[in-house]
Amino acid sequence: MKNILMIICDQLSATALKAYGNDYVKAPNIDSLSDNGVIFENAYTSCPLCQPARASFWSSKYPHQTKVLSNLPDQGFDTFSTEIETLGDLFSKNGYDCVHIGKRHDYGALRGFKIMDYEQIKSERDNPAITVNYETFYDEDTTKKMIHYLKEEASANPFLAVADLQNPHNICSYIGENELGHKDFGINEDELPPLPDNYNFDDALNRPEFIQYMCCSHRRQSQTIHWGEDDFRHYLYAYYHYIGVVDKQIGKILKALEESGKKDDTMIVLFADHGEGMASHRLVTKYGAFYEETNRVPLIFSGNNVKGNRKVDGLVSLLDIYPTLADYAGITTYKKEEGISQYNQIIGESDTADNEYVSAQWYDEYDGYIVPGRMYLDKDYKYTVYREDNSEELFDMKNDRLENINLAVKPEYKNILEQYREKLKNHIEKTNDNFFSLKSEYDKKYRQHKPGMENHTGPNAVLDYSERLKQKK
């Protein structure tokens, strides 16, 4: 029997885990999966935002194909297109018991799964200065219900069970609660994590205006503009704390799988929908920047049929999960998915992923500040562009993984820049993307201050959107 247990975290950056080089974070259960499994070293989301990313990996389609472009509850159509086969559709019609517990935010892309309702189970703060809210409370319930399913409800049929956890997304509320500066954690300064090597944004004025003025469109970013280094170190401590919180839930789920007697017949997949800024370039949470911290996510396979204790080099996309799981289960797809199977890498036939490149997209978080963007990444360079003038970035991914220097503004890189413009153009044509016909749309009241997020004054598009919602109610 080939069972599948998917464990999804929200807003977990690969950069935050021991398997990817972070020795500060304590997450023993995730570490156990990575120690015994296959680690894809360079896995990327298709969009650094929850709902578009989730609709994409459940269908192996890009956001422009799913038409789920933001976190809006109304995308202009009723539900996810029935013309696109979802992972739940595929597996349920092939005899799998498909069960989803936890965070959805899928706009109907979970079609084919039996959706278990979930509720909040309140818990106390481990540290009074670190926010705990509905996201942590929902995870308590998701874990409880998944334990029950694995031990009591999983039938004789193979299962595709999803534990969709919220944390470490709780960091968003932490930022809002500490907008005026961090509270006392009751710890010594030497217990705080160090700032990343790319914390200082020395190249900020060489970046697209969208990046320079992200404070005008990104609520959480605008809440950190007066933070100093000490505030950012406390924020990182809180983020790592939430990783520890979700790691405990993962441990409970893995224990239940073992106690159920189904562990030997189950492949476990752990990943995240997108990453987290982690103070790189002074950025927090996620948004329309395509930097490594927000776009590179953990992707770990462990268990049945997995040749473990290995790392796989090369580039993979979360779009690859769909065909990879189909190959594991021996299910034939219609070959309409955009991702490609990495099953040979999982079973040890190759230590390098098969993608020549990966791509990602951006539109808007909610409504009122549309700046479409695209990323094209291969083994040599990362190229990003937004639908505005002077809005390109080019990074040498062999010598500048911290993305400190934008080569797009340097005349000596003109030829390479032209090559990557052409590569993105070819990808856009291949996937029938309408990117070049899109336009940026936002009120001129934004971006009125001097360039640079540290100079922010004036309105914020997400706060304005929230105010419009209140007025409608």
Side-chain angles (χ1 to χ4, degrees), residues 2-106:
K2 292 185 175 182
N3 302 317
I4 301 170
L5 173 61
M6 301 178 75
I7 301 174
I8 304 173
C9 294
D10 194 327
Q11 207 156 306
L12 178 58
S13 176
T15 313
L17 296 178
K18 181 180 178 181
Y20 297 88
N22 190 321
D23 292 326
Y24 184 91
V25 178
K26 302 296 187 293
N29 297 295
I30 295 175
D31 292 345
S32 176
L33 284 176
S34 58
D35 289 344
N36 296 293
V38 172
I39 302 164
F40 284 87
E41 293 200 273
N42 299 293
Y44 291 83
T45 185
S46 63
C47 181
L49 190 66
C50 295
Q51 189 164 249
R54 290 165 179 269
S56 282
F57 63 66
W58 291 127
S59 62
S60 193
K61 295 288 187 182
Y62 289 104
H64 77 273
Q65 295 166 327
T66 68
K67 297 182 173 55
V68 180
L69 306 180
S70 72
N71 275 348
L72 282 172
D74 183 358
Q75 300 282 314
F77 55 96
D78 289 338
T79 189
F80 198 78
S81 172
T82 56
E83 296 180 4
I84 300 175
E85 187 171 55
T86 68
L87 188 68
D89 286 336
L90 179 68
F91 274 74
S92 60
K93 75 179 184 182
N94 279 278
Y96 269 72
D97 186 26
C98 298
V99 174
H100 180 277
I101 307 170
K103 179 165 182 172
R104 300 171 195 170
H105 220 180
D106 63 299

Side-chain angles (χ1 to χ4, degrees), residues 50-275:
C50 295
Q51 189 164 249
R54 290 165 179 269
S56 282
F57 63 66
W58 291 127
S59 62
S60 193
K61 295 288 187 182
Y62 289 104
H64 77 273
Q65 295 166 327
T66 68
K67 297 182 173 55
V68 180
L69 306 180
S70 72
N71 275 348
L72 282 172
D74 183 358
Q75 300 282 314
F77 55 96
D78 289 338
T79 189
F80 198 78
S81 172
T82 56
E83 296 180 4
I84 300 175
E85 187 171 55
T86 68
L87 188 68
D89 286 336
L90 179 68
F91 274 74
S92 60
K93 75 179 184 182
N94 279 278
Y96 269 72
D97 186 26
C98 298
V99 174
H100 180 277
I101 307 170
K103 179 165 182 172
R104 300 171 195 170
H105 220 180
D106 63 299
Y107 209 77
L110 280 168
R111 191 179 59 236
F113 282 93
K114 289 181 281 188
I115 307 294
M116 288 194 184
D117 288 332
Y118 66 127
E119 58 193 359
Q120 299 180 41
I121 299 178
K122 293 192 175 182
S123 57
E124 297 298 323
R125 299 186 183 202
D126 292 338
N127 185 319
I130 299 179
T131 303
V132 173
N133 66 7
Y134 69 94
E135 301 194 276
T136 295
F137 303 155
Y138 276 134
D139 281 355
E140 293 278 356
D141 185 65
T142 297
T143 300
K144 177 183 176 182
K145 286 186 167 65
M146 181 54 72
I147 290 171
H148 180 77
Y149 173 78
L150 292 172
K151 287 186 171 184
E152 307 294 338
E153 296 184 14
S155 66
N157 293 329
F159 62 75
L160 171 57
V162 183
D164 212 330
L165 299 162
Q166 302 257 8
N167 267 321
H169 194 278
N170 212 156
I171 190 63
C172 295
S173 297
Y174 169 86
I175 293 168
E177 190 175 278
N178 292 273
E179 180 177 2
L180 300 179
H182 70 84
K183 298 180 177 66
D184 182 12
F185 282 4
I187 60 174
N188 297 323
E189 184 177 346
D190 58 5
E191 296 180 67
L192 294 172
L195 293 170
D197 291 339
N198 56 356
Y199 166 75
N200 290 314
F201 203 178
D202 300 330
D203 195 44
L205 297 184
N206 288 323
R207 304 301 170 98
E209 278 196 18
F210 176 74
I211 302 296
Q212 295 182 37
Y213 287 95
M214 193 174 289
C215 48
C216 295
S217 58
H218 182 358
R219 173 180 51 162
R220 300 305 183 189
Q221 198 62 49
S222 69
Q223 291 173 328
T224 69
I225 56 172
H226 299 300
W227 279 11
E229 291 188 4
D230 195 44
D231 295 306
F232 276 101
R233 289 184 69 192
H234 279 77
Y235 141 80
L236 279 175
Y237 183 95
Y239 179 60
Y240 296 160
H241 173 83
Y242 294 126
I243 295 174
V245 170
V246 78
D247 184 75
K248 291 177 182 177
Q249 306 294 356
I250 291 170
K252 293 175 184 177
I253 293 169
L254 295 178
K255 182 180 179 183
L257 177 65
E258 184 169 8
E259 292 176 347
S260 72
K262 302 176 180 67
K263 179 181 178 182
D264 291 343
D265 296 324
T266 304
M267 182 171 73
I268 304 161
V269 189
L270 182 138
F271 66 101
D273 55 353
H274 54 74

Side-chain angles (χ1 to χ4, degrees), residues 21 69 114 137 142 146 193 203 239 273 284 286 329 331 336 346 349 382 387 390 407 434 444 465:
L69 306 180
K114 289 181 281 188
F137 303 155
T142 297
M146 181 54 72
D203 195 44
Y239 179 60
D273 55 353
V284 296
K286 74 285 182 189
I331 296 173
K336 293 181 179 180
I346 290 170
E349 292 187 2
K382 179 188 287 186
R387 292 294 292 146
N390 303 314
L407 302 177
N434 63 341
K444 291 184 179 180
Y465 166 75

